[in-house]
Amino acid sequence: MVIVGAGPTGLACGIECKKRGLNPILLEKGCVVNSLYNYPTNMGFFTTPELLEIGDIPMTSLNEKPVRGEALKYYRRVAEHYKLDIRQYQRVNRIEGEDGSFLAHTTDADGVDHQYAAKKVILATGYYDVPNLLHCAGEKLPKVLHYYKEPHPYYNQDVLVIGAKNSAVIAALELWWTGARVTMVHRGDAIHQNVKYWLKPNIENRIKAGDIPMHWRSTVKEVRPNSVVLATPEGDKEIRNDWVLAMTGYQPDTKFLEAHGIVFDAETKRPKTNPETLESDRKGMYLAGVIVAGMHTHEIFIENGRFHGKQIASAIAAVLK
C-alpha cells in the first residue's frame, strides 16, 4: 500500500490498513500532519478532543477544546503507537502503473529520488497547499503571504488582512493585540456568520471603535512595495502597507489529481468515486479526506474524514485477501 499524505486522514488510513494485515507506506512532502503544523501557533480547534481521535486512542486536552500543540503531540503519539512507516519530506512526483502494480516516484529533501511499488494507492493529500490567489498586480511580491503563524514579526508594521472568516479574524486580532497597525478588507459586507462565537463580537467591536479599519465590499486591486490599492465602493484607495496577509482560503491540488487519472464531475466539481469504497475512476486508486468533496472543502473535516480509512481499508482487504 502507498498512502500519499500523512495528515490525520492519511494516518487513519495507515492504521486501518495495518489492522487488516496490509503493509502501508505513507509518503509525506512535509512533516507528519503538515497542515496542522502550518496552522497559527496559538490556534484552537472548533471541536472537542474525541472528534479528532483516530485509531481508538483517546485524546486529552487541558481545556474543552484542544489547541494546535496538543493535536500535534497526539498525532505523533498515534503514529508511534502503531509504528506507521512514514517517509517524511518526500514529495510524490508521479504514480505510474495500474491496479495491482503501481510505482510511486518521489524526491526527498536532499534531492534523492525514490520508488515505491504498491498494489493499491490511497490519496489523502488534503487541501491546505494551494491557496486561493488574489489575481491582482503585485501578488508575487514577497510581502504577500497566504499563511499566518504568529504576530510577533509584524509588530509596529502596517498589515492588511484580507478576508472575514476565522483565519482572517484570528490574525487581525492577534496582530492588533501585538502592536501592528491592522487594516482589513472584505468583498462582503459583514464578518462571516461562522466565525467563532467568542471572536465575532471582539472583532466587530474593534472595527466599530475604529481600532481596526475595515473596507467592506472591497477588493485588492494592486499590491505595491510600500502600499496597496483597494477597489472600494467610493473608488480606488491607496493605503500605506508593509505586509499583506491573504486569508482567502485554500483548495485541493486538482492538477496533481487530474494528472493521476482522477475525474471530476463537471457540475459539482467533485471527483468521481464509488460511494461504498471511495475508489476513483482509476482502478486501484482511492481518495480519502477532504479531497473527496472536491472544491466543497467545507463539507469534510478531520471529524468525518477520519472514517474514510476504515471504509477504504475494508474494501481493499476484501479484494486482496
Side-chain angles (χ1 to χ4, degrees), residues 207-225:
I207 293 171
K208 185 177 180 180
D211 298 325
I212 299 178
M214 168 62 94
H215 295 272
W216 302 110
R217 299 180 297 282
S218 302
T219 57
V220 177
K221 184 175 182 179
E222 182 182 355
V223 179
R224 298 174 178 173

Side-chain angles (χ1 to χ4, degrees), residues 2 15 23 75 158 160 187 197 213 234 278 281 306:
V2 157
I15 291 167
N23 181 29
Y75 290 117
D158 291 292
L160 179 70
R187 59 188 177 187
Y197 66 86
E234 295 79 33
L278 295 182
D281 274 9
R306 61 192 175 134

Side-chain angles (χ1 to χ4, degrees), residues 50 82 85-86 107 155 164 191 193 293 297:
E50 63 271 14
Y82 281 98
D85 187 353
I86 306 172
T107 303
Y155 164 72
I191 295 296
Q193 60 182 4
T297 54

Side-chain angles (χ1 to χ4, degrees), residues 19-316:
K19 285 183 175 180
R20 288 159 179 77
L22 305 173
N23 181 29
I25 290 178
L26 286 78
L27 304 176
E28 170 56 58
K29 68 181 178 309
C31 59
V32 172
V33 292
N34 193 65
S35 293
L36 298 190
Y37 168 72
N38 284 311
Y39 281 2
T41 303
N42 301 314
M43 195 207 80
F45 286 83
F46 303 163
T47 190
T48 51
E50 63 271 14
L51 296 179
L52 300 179
E53 294 173 358
I54 59 175
D56 300 317
I57 294 182
M59 180 183 188
T60 57
S61 174
L62 293 175
N63 301 296
E64 180 185 357
K65 293 180 171 59
V67 296
R68 169 184 170 275
E70 291 174 323
L72 294 178
K73 181 178 181 180
Y74 170 76
Y75 290 117
R76 290 197 305 268
R77 185 163 61 92
V78 170
E80 186 174 352
H81 175 83
Y82 281 98
K83 296 180 171 55
L84 294 177
D85 187 353
I86 306 172
R87 310 297 172 93
Q88 299 182 95
Y89 306 105
Q90 287 201 31
R91 179 177 292 276
V92 177
N93 302 315
R94 67 187 187 281
I95 301 172
E96 300 174 336
E98 57 188 19
D99 187 22
S101 182
F102 288 107
L103 189 64
H105 297 262
T106 72
T107 303
D108 66 23
D110 297 319
V112 178
D113 295 331
H114 303 266
Q115 296 181 353
Y116 300 91
K119 292 183 178 180
K120 304 285 184 180
V121 173
I122 301 174
L123 301 181
T125 50
Y127 75 103
Y128 200 60
D129 301 308
V130 182
N132 294 322
L133 299 180
L134 303 175
H135 301 294
C136 72
E139 182 171 17
K140 292 186 178 181
L141 287 173
K143 72 174 188 174
V144 180
L145 307 172
H146 290 272
Y147 299 90
Y148 165 75
K149 288 289 288 183
E150 54 188 357
H152 176 76
Y154 309 101
Y155 164 72
N156 200 30
Q157 299 277 288
D158 291 292
V159 184
L160 179 70
V161 176
I162 305 173
K165 294 185 178 180
N166 278 293
S167 58
V169 169
I170 290 170
L173 287 173
E174 287 192 357
L175 290 165
W176 183 73
W177 289 330
T178 308
R181 294 179 293 278
V182 184
T183 301
M184 298 182 73
V185 60
H186 179 46
R187 59 188 177 187
D189 55 11
I191 295 296
H192 197 275
Q193 60 182 4
N194 292 334
V195 167
K196 298 176 184 178
Y197 66 86
W198 60 91
L199 292 175
K200 194 167 186 287
N202 202 325
I203 189 66
E204 289 173 339
N205 287 337
R206 299 284 70 74
I207 293 171
K208 185 177 180 180
D211 298 325
I212 299 178
M214 168 62 94
H215 295 272
W216 302 110
R217 299 180 297 282
S218 302
T219 57
V220 177
K221 184 175 182 179
E222 182 182 355
V223 179
R224 298 174 178 173
N226 300 113
S227 65
V228 292
V229 178
L230 305 180
T232 77
E234 295 79 33
D236 291 354
K237 291 184 179 180
E238 184 175 5
I239 62 172
R240 176 79 179 81
N241 176 260
D242 297 306
W243 299 93
V244 175
L245 294 181
M247 304 289 97
T248 49
Y250 310 91
Q251 58 182 283
D253 188 349
T254 53
K255 289 184 179 179
F256 178 86
L257 297 174
E258 288 172 342
H260 288 86
I262 306 304
V263 179
F264 289 79
D265 184 272
E267 267 189 42
T268 65
K269 306 298 183 184
R270 301 175 194 275
K272 295 182 179 180
T273 58
N274 181 318
E276 301 297 324
T277 65
L278 295 182
E279 186 174 18
S280 71
D281 274 9
R282 184 174 180 182
K283 191 169 175 56
M285 190 170 285
Y286 299 76
L287 304 186
V290 70
I291 60 173
V292 173
M295 302 303 289
H296 304 265
T297 54
H298 62 283
E299 295 181 0
I300 297 179
F301 305 94
I302 298 173
E303 295 95 313
N304 48 8
R306 61 192 175 134
F307 296 119
H308 289 170
K310 186 175 294 186
Q311 189 175 348
I312 294 171
S314 297
I316 292 174

